[in-house]
Amino acid sequence: MLRIAVQSKGRLYEDTMELFSEIGIKLSSAKRTLLIASTNFPVEVLFLRDDDIPQSVADGVADVGIVGENEFVERNENAIIEKRLGFSKCRLSLAIPKEEDYKGVSWFEGKKIASSYPHILNTFLKKQGISAHCHVITGSVEIAPGIGLSDAIFDIVSSGSTLVSNHLKEVEVVMKSEAVLIGNPELSAEKREILNELMFRIDAVQAAEGKKYILLNAPNENIEDIIAVLPGITSPTIMPLAKEGWSSMHSVLPEKRFWEIIGKLKSLGAEGILVLPIEKMIM
């Protein structure tokens, strides 16, 4: 059994539960408790605070965890990134009062910066040769300049609307972050095998993003022309039909060009066009 530590609430929790659903992992209880086992895959899910996940994985309390890269880097625990997951994206940025004239990172020399990420901030400032004081604060970091606690902030930015509402402007992006799957570096061979199967499923779901699976019937004399506009992952699958002179064709289309390609297929005599959710074909 592989134990996965997951954030207990918030956007990352919601995105992780959606991922589990997409890769076919069912949990045993609709009511969330501290520890839930899957009913159809050898994993159990441990719900924790996001900032506790890196340590729980490093200490072996959990075998792997899904956490924001920002928290993983900030905690600096003995764990490894097994896979980048591509969701819950954000950035860690420096922001200052919007009326300030900003001409470069030297602005922060001698300033007080409020942040919940002192490790990442101090590492950045040291690389830039800037001497500034990090005022560690948890929660509502963005209000610190307005009430005189700091000159600037270093915090997570997604849309930027929170900065605007607090009369701040983003001036330096220090780090881009996304959800990552982290693992204990000393996993047993048995748990590594389960993890590899888990990552295979995630790879399959990620490969399906932005694509549609299509089936159609086509006259044999137009197959070569259809192949020219209907690329598959390698090439379309073609099978003869009972109807003489016709074949069934299966392929994968990029979602961005989907309707353009469908129009070309119809003009080449394609019939019975059927589109299926590609994730259903993968599983």
Side-chain angles (χ1 to χ4, degrees):
M1 182 77 74
L2 186 76
R3 180 175 290 178
I4 307 175
V6 167
Q7 185 173 315
S8 59
K9 59 183 179 179
R11 191 184 74 170
L12 184 52
Y13 162 77
E14 294 169 358
D15 288 344
T16 301
M17 292 302 103
E18 183 178 350
L19 174 65
F20 285 166
S21 176
E22 289 175 342
I23 63 177
I25 292 180
K26 297 179 181 179
L27 300 178
S28 61
S29 174
K31 183 178 180 181
R32 194 165 78 246
T33 57
L34 179 64
L35 188 64
I36 297 179
S38 169
T39 58
N40 65 342
F41 194 76
V43 300
E44 55 184 4
V45 178
L46 176 65
F47 294 100
L48 299 172
R49 284 168 47 97
D50 57 346
D51 51 359
D52 289 334
I53 292 175
Q55 184 177 358
S56 74
V57 173
D59 292 346
V61 175
D63 302 307
V64 298
I66 294 177
V67 67
E69 187 177 3
N70 54 305
E71 288 292 345
F72 173 68
V73 174
E74 177 62 28
R75 302 302 160 186
N76 196 28
E77 296 284 353
N78 182 30
I80 58 176
I81 293 180
E82 298 282 356
K83 185 168 186 58
R84 296 182 178 277
L85 299 176
F87 56 78
S88 295
K89 292 185 178 182
C90 63
R91 56 194 182 272
L92 283 174
S93 296
L94 285 158
I96 65 175
K98 65 179 183 179
E99 66 273 9
E100 291 287 338
D101 182 21
Y102 185 79
K103 294 182 178 179
V105 72
S106 60
W107 184 92
F108 294 98
E109 182 68 33
K111 297 292 196 301
K112 183 185 290 186
I113 307 170
S115 181
S116 301
Y117 299 92
H119 173 70
I120 298 174
L121 175 60
N122 287 327
T123 299
F124 171 78
L125 293 173
K126 184 177 180 180
K127 286 182 179 179
Q128 297 294 325
I130 300 297
S131 177
H133 173 68
C134 177
H135 181 71
V136 181
I137 186 172
T138 57
S140 302
V141 173
E142 65 277 357
I143 69 171
I147 62 176
L149 279 179
S150 69
D151 302 299
I153 69 166
F154 177 62
D155 200 20
I156 291 175
V157 178
S158 294
S159 66
S161 59
T162 302
L163 295 181
V164 172
S165 64
N166 285 277
H167 308 288
L168 299 172
K169 61 182 178 182
E170 184 179 11
V171 293
E172 295 285 341
V173 177
V174 174
M175 174 185 173
K176 292 184 177 180
S177 176
E178 63 182 284
V180 291
L181 177 66
I182 62 172
N184 186 294
E186 299 180 3
L187 284 182
S188 66
E190 179 184 3
K191 291 184 176 182
R192 172 60 61 179
E193 185 177 354
I194 298 171
L195 176 59
N196 287 341
E197 172 61 23
L198 181 73
M199 292 194 292
F200 169 79
R201 292 190 180 194
I202 295 172
D203 285 341
V205 168
Q206 290 180 336
E209 290 178 1
K211 297 182 177 66
K212 291 182 179 292
Y213 193 89
I214 184 171
L215 295 83
L216 59 92
N217 298 331
N220 290 342
E221 65 265 24
N222 290 346
I223 283 179
E224 292 302 320
D225 292 332
I226 289 175
I227 288 175
V229 298
L230 187 64
I233 294 174
T234 51
S235 64
T237 300
I238 304 173
M239 296 179 290
L241 292 175
K243 183 179 179 180
E244 187 174 352
W246 284 73
S247 294
S248 173
M249 302 181 69
H250 302 214
S251 191
V252 175
L253 301 182
E255 194 166 16
K256 289 182 178 179
R257 295 187 57 215
F258 179 72
W259 291 111
E260 170 196 344
I261 294 173
I262 290 294
K264 292 180 180 179
L265 294 176
K266 290 175 68 176
S267 69
L268 290 169
E271 297 180 359
I273 298 173
L274 178 64
V275 181
L276 298 175
I278 193 170
E279 64 271 16
K280 301 300 182 183
M281 308 304 296
I282 292 170
M283 298 306 295

